[in-house]
């Protein structure tokens, strides 16, 4: 789909829908004072990457075609880069759609603010973990700015993290976890689960018959005694 869409552009056919970004010009290097706390700017970076990778994918595919390979052989030859391109395209489209949905459907300013923060954090992490995808666009020193922006987002999100996780409305049965119980009795639940574990149903731990042959019990007792005295 991405290869065909790039070739539409080459043939002066305007691509529709999610791949209209292929019509954009190549992104220029960012200024050193670029604001990485602007979600629209981050989405623009994701869009630029998707565009660049899609064009490089088509170029690689065309090179394989010139070798006389069949369509399937060309597809196999660029399969890893195809996956990369699809991943970049999906990351951009998801971020763009998320942002549009927040602005259109979330009317409560406080809810929109915290959900936009989550989108911002997700985009920053996507960029930070794939800095090589923006060679020529991002300056080396900006990696630290992105890392600092991630930490700032985390600090702002942290006070709302319980409310956010509760808002997903997963019940205890779905979570299947002793943590995050609605009644707050976390430690009691952990103890009950530990008692039910097959590893805790016998007085001796599993594998003890083998371990006791190689462990220096006298040394352990001496060390425990010294710590108790201290």
């Amino acid at each position: 789909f991405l290869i065909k869409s790039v070739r539409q552009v080459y043939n002066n056919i305007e691509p529709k829908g999610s791949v209209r970004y292929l019509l954009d010009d190549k992104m220029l290097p960012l200024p050193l004072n670029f604001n990485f706390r602007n979600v629209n700017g981050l989405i623009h970076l994701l869009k630029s990457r998707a565009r660049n990778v899609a064009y490089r994918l088509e170029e690689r595919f065309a090179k394989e075609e010139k070798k006389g390979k069949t369509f399937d052989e060309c597809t196999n030859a660029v399969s890893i880069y195809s996956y990369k391109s699809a991943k970049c395209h999906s990351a951009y489209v998801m971020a763009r759609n998320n942002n549009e949905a927040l602005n259109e459907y979330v009317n409560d300013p406080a809810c929109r603010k915290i959900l936009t923060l989550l989108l911002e954090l997700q985009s920053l992490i996507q960029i930070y973990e794939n800095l090589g995808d923006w060679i020529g666009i991002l300056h080396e020193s900006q990696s630290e700015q992105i890392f600092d922006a991630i930490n700032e987002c985390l600090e702002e999100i942290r006070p709302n993290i319980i409310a956010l996780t509760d808002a997903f409305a997963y019940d205890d049965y779905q979570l299947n976890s002793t943590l995050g119980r609605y009644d707050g009795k976390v430690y009691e639940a952990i103890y009950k689960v530990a008692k039910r574990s097959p590893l805790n149903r016998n007085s001796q731990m599993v594998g003890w018959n083998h371990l006791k042959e190689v462990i220096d019990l006298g040394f352990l007792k001496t060390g425990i005694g010294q710590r108790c005295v201290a």
Side-chain angles (χ1 to χ4, degrees):
F1 168 65
L2 292 172
I3 292 169
K4 289 178 180 178
S5 298
V6 171
R7 291 182 172 180
Q8 282 183 330
V9 177
Y10 286 149
N11 291 317
N12 296 317
I13 301 173
E14 185 175 311
K16 305 294 183 181
S18 65
V19 288
R20 284 186 57 82
Y21 60 80
L22 294 173
L23 296 170
D24 292 358
D25 293 330
K26 193 170 184 179
M27 193 174 186
L28 297 174
L30 291 182
L32 293 179
N33 62 349
F34 182 80
N35 179 17
F36 288 102
R37 292 301 310 276
N38 182 294
V39 72
N40 290 319
L42 297 175
I43 292 174
H44 190 62
L45 278 169
L46 294 174
K47 177 173 71 170
S48 173
R49 177 182 65 165
R51 175 208 175 277
N52 294 342
V53 174
Y55 274 97
R56 289 200 294 269
L57 170 63
E58 192 281 332
E59 182 181 349
R60 288 167 179 258
F61 191 88
K63 285 182 179 180
E64 298 300 325
E65 283 183 318
K66 289 178 180 178
K67 297 176 184 178
K69 293 183 178 181
T70 65
F71 176 85
D72 288 340
E73 288 172 336
C74 291
T75 303
N76 288 335
V78 299
S79 59
I80 295 176
Y81 210 81
S82 296
Y83 172 77
K84 171 76 174 181
S85 186
K87 186 177 179 180
C88 294
H89 170 82
S90 300
Y92 159 64
V93 171
M94 289 179 67
R96 182 203 64 186
N97 290 353
N98 191 342
N99 192 43
E100 290 178 356
L102 289 175
N103 291 323
E104 185 173 353
Y105 299 113
V106 182
N107 297 319
D108 183 272
C111 288
R112 188 188 308 116
K113 180 180 178 180
I114 190 62
L115 291 174
T116 302
L117 260 176
L118 288 178
L119 172 58
E120 187 180 334
L121 176 63
Q122 182 185 30
S123 300
L124 283 166
I125 291 173
Q126 176 78 215
I127 294 168
Y128 185 76
E129 292 183 347
N130 299 277
L131 287 171
D133 293 342
W134 285 273
I135 291 176
I137 297 175
L138 292 174
H139 189 271
E140 181 181 353
S141 63
Q142 290 176 312
S143 65
E144 289 299 313
Q145 297 175 36
I146 297 170
F147 187 78
D148 291 340
I150 290 173
N151 283 325
E152 290 173 8
C153 279
L154 289 172
E155 288 181 7
E156 294 175 29
I157 291 171
R158 192 169 290 116
N160 299 290
I161 200 66
I162 300 301
L164 278 168
T165 52
D166 285 350
F168 287 117
Y170 290 114
D171 58 34
D172 289 346
Y173 179 79
Q174 289 173 297
L175 291 173
N176 191 27
S177 171
T178 55
L179 303 177
R181 287 173 57 90
Y182 74 96
D183 58 9
K185 295 181 179 180
V186 176
Y187 299 106
E188 293 89 340
I190 291 174
Y191 182 66
K192 287 180 180 179
V193 171
K195 287 202 301 183
R196 290 200 301 267
S197 171
L199 297 175
N200 295 321
R201 289 178 181 172
N202 299 317
S203 58
Q204 289 186 349
M205 62 179 285
V206 174
W208 174 249
N209 290 332
H210 300 287
L211 284 174
K212 69 180 181 180
E213 302 297 330
V214 297
I215 292 179
D216 189 338
L217 296 178
F219 177 79
L220 286 177
K221 289 177 181 179
T222 301
I224 292 171
Q226 290 174 346
R227 285 197 297 275
C228 290
V229 171

